[in-house]
Amino acid sequence: MRPGARREPVRAPRGRARFDLRMRLRIVAGGLGACALVLVARAVDLQLIDNAYYQQKADSRFLREIPIPTSRGMITDRNGEPLAVSSPVDTVWGNPQELMKSPELLPRLAAVLGVPAEPLVRRIAQRADKEFVYLKRRINPAEAEKILAHKIPGVFTQREFRRFYPQGEALAHVLGFTNIDDRGQEGIELAFDEWLRGTPGAERIIRDRRGRTVENVDLVRAAEPGRDLTLSIDRRIQYLAHRELKRTLLETGASAGSVVILDVASGEILAMANLPTFNPNAVSGDNRDARRNRAVTDLIEPGSTMKPLTVAAALEAGVITSASTFNTSPGWMANGRYRTSDFRNYGVLTTTGVITKSSNVGVSQIVRKLPDADFHAFLRRFGYGSTTGSGFPGEASGLFPEPSRWSGTTKQTMSYGYGLSATPLQIAHAYATLGNHGRAVAPTFVKGQRNEAREVLSPAVADEVVRMMQTVTETGGTATRAAILGYHVAGKTGTARKASGGGYARRYVAFFAGLVPVDNPRFSMAVVIDDPDPSKGIYGGGAVSAPVFQRVMDGALRLMDVPPDDIETWLAAQADAEAKAARARGARPGAVAVTVPAAATAPTPVPPPVVAARAAVRDETQPSPAVAQVFPGVEDDR
C-alpha cells in the first residue's frame, strides 16, 4: 500500500450475509405439505364425503336403468277359452351415435330390416346425438336373431309383448285391439286397460361403450303382469252368431248387420257380432268404418219391435186388457195429413192379434189411450234414451225426445218404432226385461258381475205380453221362421224404412227380437240386418232376421243345455220323421223283409193337427212393392 493512501473498509457481499438455507427449506417443505393436505382433503371430500355427483357422472357412462316388459292379462270367454293373449316378441333398436360412426353400413342395415335406405338414414341422422332409436318393432324372435347375425355395430334387441286374438274377426268388435305400445285402443281392451296392462319392472345393468350388457347390477322393481279377465261371452255362441250373420248378408245383399244375445236373468252378454268386421291381429288405417261396434254405437229406428212395449204400457195403465178389440178396417187410418196403414185389412183384432199381425193401425189406437207423459216415462224406464250401463266405450244413449218436443203424430209413430232411435243392445235389453218378469238388469261383459235388478213393470203384465209375443212365431204370426223345434219362442219382427233426405226411402232395416223358452225365458236376442237388397225378393224382418234367430238360438239352447218347454211338438216331429223313414224303407226296391214282433207293428202315432202345424216352419209371402206406402211403417214385417 502506498504511503499516504486511504484505506477503504472491506464489505461483505449483499444477500449472502442474510441467506438462511434452513429457513428456505422449511418454507418450501411447509408449502408442499399444505398443498398435499389440500389435495388429500379434496380427495377425501370427493371420494368419501361429496361423491354423489361424480359417481352419477361416472355411472351415466356405463350404468343404465332399463325397463322390464310385462305382459297384459289374458282375456278368456266364460268357459276359460283364450280370446286375447300376449306373446313374447323382439324389438330391434339402434344407438345412433354408434351407427353414425359407420355410415357406409346403413344401406346394408336397411336391406336387412327390409325398409327403404333413404328414410332410415335420415331418421338416424336426425337422432345422431341420441343413444336410442327404434328400428323394427314387435317381430318374431327368429327374425330378430337373423338381423343381429349381421353384427352391425350399434344394433341391439329387446323383449316386448304382442297381443294375439285367436278368434280373429268373430270377436273383433267386442275385444278391440292394442296399439304398438300394447295399450288398449277400443273395445274391452280399452275399457279394462288398467286392469289388463300390469306394471313394467326396472333393472340396472352395466353396458360397455358399444352398448352391450356387461353385468346385471340389481333389480330396481319387479315386473307385475296384468290381471286376467273372464268375459261373459261364450265363444261357441259367438261363432254361431258371426257365421249366420255372414250367411244372411251374402244371401240378402245387406250392407251390415248386428246380433246381440243376453242372459235374461243375469244380464250377461253371451254374444255380440257385427258385420262388416276386421282382423284385430293386423289392424290398419284402412276401412275405419268396419271397426265400429254397431251393436252399441249405431242408432236405428226400432220399427215394430216397439209394439209389445206399447201394449205393455197400456196394460199397466189399465186402459186396455188382453181381450180388448180394435177395428183396423179398412186397413188404414187418417192421421192429420198423413195416413197410417197396415199391409192389409185385418178387420177386428184383439190386443194379442195386434201383436200377432203387427198392426200399425191397432197399436196406434192403443197408444191414443195413453197420456203423453205416461208413455214417455214408461219407455224411459225400459232404458230408451239412455245407455244400458254396459260400460262399453262409446256406447250410444239413443234419441228419445221429451214430450214437449212432440208433434201431433209423434206419439203414434213412436208406438210402432219411428221418431226415436235405439241401439241393438238397447232392444235386446228391453226384451230381456220383459223376459225377466219386468225386472231390468244392466248388461255386462264380465262373467259373474251381478248388477242390481230394478222392477220397471209388474211381473203379471210382463208375462202376459211375452205370451202375446209367442203367437208371432206360431201359425198366423209374422215370424214363423223363428220357431225352434221343442221350444216355445216369443218375439217380434220389424221392418223399418230408412230415413233419407228429410223423408223415408225404400231402403229397409229388418229386425227380430225374441225370447226363449217362453215358460222360463233364458235368452234374449236381437237381430238387425241393415239395408237388405229388395231386388233379391226378401227384406222383411220375418224373412231376413227371424231365420238368423232360429239358427243361432237353436244351437245356443243345446250348447247351454236348456231343457225344452214344448216337448209334445218335439215328440210329434220325431214320430213323423220316423214314420217317413219307415215308409221310405218299405218303398225301396229290393228291401229285405224283416220279421217284427206283433207288439212292434203298431202304427206310428200321427201328431195332432194343431201340434203339427205349430211345429211346421213355413215361408211367408213378402209384401208386394205395389202396395201404396204413404207413411213409414206400413211394410209387412214378414
Side-chain angles (χ1 to χ4, degrees):
M1 181 176 181
R2 274 193 327 265
R6 191 175 178 183
R7 190 174 181 176
E8 295 289 334
V10 180
R11 296 181 180 181
R14 286 189 178 183
R16 284 179 179 258
R18 293 193 297 271
F19 178 79
D20 188 344
L21 181 60
R22 289 189 178 186
M23 181 58 69
R24 182 170 290 187
L25 289 175
R26 289 192 187 99
I27 293 172
V28 171
L32 292 176
C35 290
L37 287 175
V38 171
L39 291 176
V40 170
R42 182 59 175 162
V44 170
D45 180 62
L46 294 177
Q47 295 293 330
L48 301 177
I49 300 175
D50 191 21
N51 62 352
Y53 175 76
Y54 293 96
Q55 184 67 43
Q56 180 185 0
K57 286 294 184 182
D59 290 345
S60 65
R61 297 178 179 273
F62 303 103
L63 191 63
R64 295 287 186 273
E65 184 175 301
I66 62 172
I68 302 175
T70 184
S71 62
R72 287 175 72 85
M74 181 169 62
I75 301 176
T76 65
D77 81 338
R78 65 185 303 107
N79 300 311
E81 294 293 333
L83 304 179
V85 296
S86 290
S87 301
V89 292
D90 280 350
T91 286
V92 180
W93 65 277
N95 184 338
Q97 296 180 3
E98 289 290 324
L99 291 171
M100 291 307 294
K101 292 179 181 178
S102 304
E104 69 279 359
L105 296 179
L106 294 182
R108 177 183 167 196
L109 175 61
V112 171
L113 295 173
V115 298
E118 184 178 346
L120 178 66
V121 173
R122 184 168 58 251
R123 185 155 58 95
I124 293 175
Q126 291 171 348
R127 295 167 174 80
D129 59 334
K130 307 293 184 182
E131 294 184 348
F132 185 92
V133 62
Y134 283 118
L135 298 177
K136 199 168 188 178
R137 297 196 66 179
R138 304 203 304 180
I139 61 176
N140 190 290
E143 184 181 350
E145 286 296 327
K146 291 180 180 179
I147 295 173
L148 289 182
H150 289 79
K151 297 183 178 180
I152 300 174
V155 178
F156 312 96
T157 62
Q158 70 181 26
R159 177 55 51 89
E160 288 188 320
F161 290 89
R162 181 178 180 179
R163 209 65 162 157
F164 177 66
Y165 304 95
Q167 305 303 317
E169 296 181 350
L171 265 166
H173 294 104
V174 173
L175 297 177
F177 56 91
T178 59
N179 63 7
I180 193 73
D181 294 316
D182 219 20
R183 297 292 182 92
Q185 297 299 291
E186 292 185 13
I188 295 297
E189 293 279 24
L190 175 59
F192 293 90
D193 186 56
E194 290 188 10
W195 177 273
L196 295 165
R197 191 168 62 219
T199 305
E203 65 175 339
R204 288 193 183 95
I205 63 171
I206 294 178
R207 282 180 174 160
D208 63 13
R209 67 185 183 87
R210 294 185 177 275
R212 296 172 297 190
T213 300
V214 176
E215 180 185 354
N216 293 323
V217 178
D218 64 347
L219 179 65
V220 178
R221 182 178 61 255
E224 297 180 8
R227 291 166 287 187
D228 294 342
L229 179 65
T230 301
L231 299 185
S232 59
I233 296 290
D234 189 308
R235 69 176 184 87
R236 302 168 301 174
I237 301 176
Q238 179 74 23
Y239 172 75
L240 283 174
H242 177 74
R243 183 189 68 185
E244 295 304 328
L245 196 59
K246 179 180 288 188
R247 169 182 170 180
T248 300
L249 261 63
L250 290 174
E251 291 176 348
T252 64
S255 62
S258 298
V259 169
V260 179
I261 302 176
L262 300 179
D263 185 289
V264 166
S266 67
E268 293 182 341
I269 299 172
L270 301 176
M272 180 179 285
N274 297 275
L275 284 176
T277 185
F278 65 100
N279 182 4
N281 295 304
V283 180
S284 66
D286 301 334
N287 196 13
R288 292 178 178 272
D289 187 60
R291 302 209 302 253
R292 192 171 72 249
N293 188 346
R294 300 170 184 270
V296 297
T297 64
D298 281 21
L299 297 179
I300 45 181
E301 291 182 300
S304 294
T305 60
M306 289 297 299
K307 289 174 182 173
L309 300 181
T310 302
V311 170
L315 289 171
E316 183 187 52
V319 295
I320 63 169
T321 68
S322 58
S324 298
T325 57
F326 306 91
N327 186 1
T328 66
S329 296
W332 59 271
M333 63 183 293
N335 191 15
R337 58 195 182 97
Y338 298 106
R339 190 175 74 175
T340 298
S341 303
D342 284 337
F343 178 65
R344 61 174 63 92
N345 182 2
Y346 295 116
V348 177
L349 295 174
T350 62
T351 303
T352 301
V354 169
I355 294 179
T356 306
K357 299 297 184 181
S358 192
S359 171
N360 295 328
V361 176
V363 80
S364 296
Q365 294 177 18
I366 291 173
V367 81
R368 284 184 172 182
K369 298 176 181 291
L370 286 169
D372 292 357
D374 291 352
F375 185 55
H376 179 269
F378 182 87
L379 295 183
R380 276 285 187 185
R381 295 205 306 268
F382 267 80
Y384 288 90
S386 59
T387 63
T388 63
S390 70
F392 196 88
E395 181 181 357
S397 59
L399 299 175
F400 188 40
E402 297 291 328
S404 59
R405 299 173 56 192
W406 293 2
S407 66
T409 60
T410 300
K411 184 175 68 173
Q412 182 175 326
T413 56
M414 280 184 179
S415 70
Y416 51 85
Y418 289 90
L420 75 164
S421 297
T423 65
L425 178 58
Q426 285 177 313
I427 297 173
H429 177 237
Y431 275 63
T433 300
L434 289 174
N436 197 29
H437 313 293
R439 295 189 301 272
V441 181
T444 178
F445 286 91
V446 180
K447 181 183 179 182
Q449 178 178 335
R450 291 292 183 265
N451 295 319
E452 184 178 353
R454 56 186 179 86
E455 185 170 311
V456 300
L457 181 65
S458 70
V461 173
D463 295 345
E464 187 175 14
V465 173
V466 169
R467 288 293 179 185
M468 292 180 182
M469 290 194 297
Q470 180 181 336
T471 63
V472 174
T473 64
E474 297 177 355
T475 303
T478 59
T480 56
R481 293 186 181 185
I484 300 173
L485 184 62
Y487 297 88
H488 291 298
V489 176
K492 186 68 191 75
T493 53
T495 309
R497 291 173 64 175
K498 299 186 69 172
S500 176
Y504 287 87
R506 288 197 175 275
R507 297 170 58 196
Y508 305 91
V509 180
F511 300 91
F512 183 81
L515 297 161
V516 65
V518 169
D519 286 353
N520 185 24
R522 176 72 184 277
F523 302 127
S524 168
M525 179 175 175
V527 182
V528 179
I529 306 298
D530 186 14
D531 206 14
D533 187 357
S535 67
K536 291 183 176 291
I538 52 173
Y539 59 87
V544 173
S545 298
V548 179
F549 176 94
Q550 189 275 331
R551 293 192 293 262
V552 174
M553 200 52 67
D554 185 49
L557 289 165
R558 284 154 180 76
L559 287 170
M560 303 296 279
D561 293 326
V562 178
D565 65 341
D566 188 17
I567 194 67
E568 295 84 1
T569 301
W570 185 84
L571 291 174
Q574 287 289 102
D576 186 53
E578 290 174 3
K580 289 181 180 178
R583 288 194 296 271
R585 286 194 301 270
R588 188 171 62 240
V592 178
V594 179
T595 304
V596 182
T601 60
T604 303
V606 178
V610 174
V611 175
R614 188 170 60 190
V617 179
R618 64 184 181 85
D619 292 342
E620 293 293 328
T621 306
Q622 283 295 313
S624 169
V627 176
Q629 309 288 345
V630 181
F631 200 76
V634 301
E635 300 294 341
D636 184 20
D637 292 331
R638 291 171 290 186

